[in-house]
Amino acid sequence: MAHFAELDANNVVLRVIVVATANTTDASGAEKEEIGAAFCSRLLGGVWKQTSYNGNIRKRYAGIGYTYDAGLDAFIAPQP
């Protein structure tokens, strides 16, 4: 299973979904973000970035209202 965050026009996370491994892997079985993001886009539209609970991808797990910073390649928590 992989997790993907949908981004709005300002790179703010709108929602996070779980995607089955079968929809994120290539023919050799290697997981690829671009395959999972394309699957999400075909299914639901929008722009998608992969995220992970353990912080191995993009520094931290994305949540609704977080912002994706392309320069840091990280999800940034909203500030109070």
Side-chain angles (χ1 to χ4, degrees), residues 2-48:
H3 297 85
F4 284 83
E6 182 181 16
L7 306 177
D8 71 7
N10 296 312
N11 286 338
V12 175
V13 175
L14 300 172
R15 60 181 157 173
V16 179
I17 63 170
V18 179
V19 177
T21 302
N23 297 310
T24 64
T25 54
D26 64 14
S28 67
E31 187 176 298
K32 306 260 182 166
E33 177 182 9
E34 58 271 14
I35 295 171
F39 171 79
C40 293
S41 186
R42 280 191 311 274
L43 186 66
L44 302 166
V47 175
W48 297 83

Side-chain angles (χ1 to χ4, degrees), residues 47-71:
V47 175
W48 297 83
K49 292 288 183 184
Q50 190 169 4
T51 187
S52 70
Y53 276 117
N54 59 16
N56 287 341
I57 301 170
R58 302 200 165 86
K59 313 291 190 246
R60 66 191 51 79
Y61 186 74
I64 294 171
Y66 280 51
T67 302
Y68 173 67
D69 184 313

